[in-house]
Amino acid sequence: MTRRPSSPGFIIRTHYMEPLNLTVTELALRLGISRKTLSKILNERGSVSPDMALRLSRAFNTTPQLWLNLQQTVDLWLAENTPGDWQKVTPLPMDQSETA
């Protein structure tokens, strides 16, 4: 994937907050979290945890997996597109009988 995937924060803002005319303060209250915590997620400075995924799924009638998958997709894309030591790892030779 060459394009950065949409973050959970982007999805929350565009698909839920804007159509429902929710402010950060209102949504934070509904989720039972601080405005600062929600703001971090919305501005892509914080991640969706399993607890947050449960809160979002209950609030928006979705599944927690949706939110965790969105976060995991962004995290993996960032890791793959940021130079790091993982790129120095070479594949281990595998015996053909072990791969089956």
Side-chain angles (χ1 to χ4, degrees):
M1 178 184 295
T2 56
R3 182 186 73 80
R4 181 182 172 158
S6 297
S7 70
F10 175 80
I11 300 298
I12 293 166
R13 276 192 322 273
T14 59
H15 294 272
Y16 296 97
M17 292 180 71
E18 289 173 8
L20 296 171
N21 292 318
L22 287 171
T23 66
V24 175
T25 301
E26 290 168 337
L27 182 55
L29 285 170
R30 294 292 292 264
L31 294 173
I33 60 173
S34 72
R35 187 181 187 290
K36 182 177 178 180
T37 298
L38 180 57
S39 182
K40 283 182 179 182
I41 293 169
L42 295 175
N43 293 305
E44 301 178 23
R45 290 189 314 269
S47 299
V48 171
S49 66
D51 177 73
M52 183 61 68
L54 289 167
R55 292 169 189 264
L56 292 167
S57 69
R58 171 116 359 140
F60 299 132
N61 196 28
T62 62
T63 64
Q65 289 79 13
L66 168 73
W67 302 105
L68 292 174
N69 287 340
L70 286 168
Q71 186 64 58
Q72 184 179 33
T73 300
V74 170
D75 291 346
L76 187 55
W77 187 90
L78 288 171
E80 289 175 336
N81 289 279
T82 302
D85 287 343
W86 70 269
Q87 294 167 323
K88 297 176 186 174
V89 176
T90 57
L92 295 169
M94 299 296 287
D95 180 19
Q96 289 298 329
S97 63
E98 293 178 17
T99 59

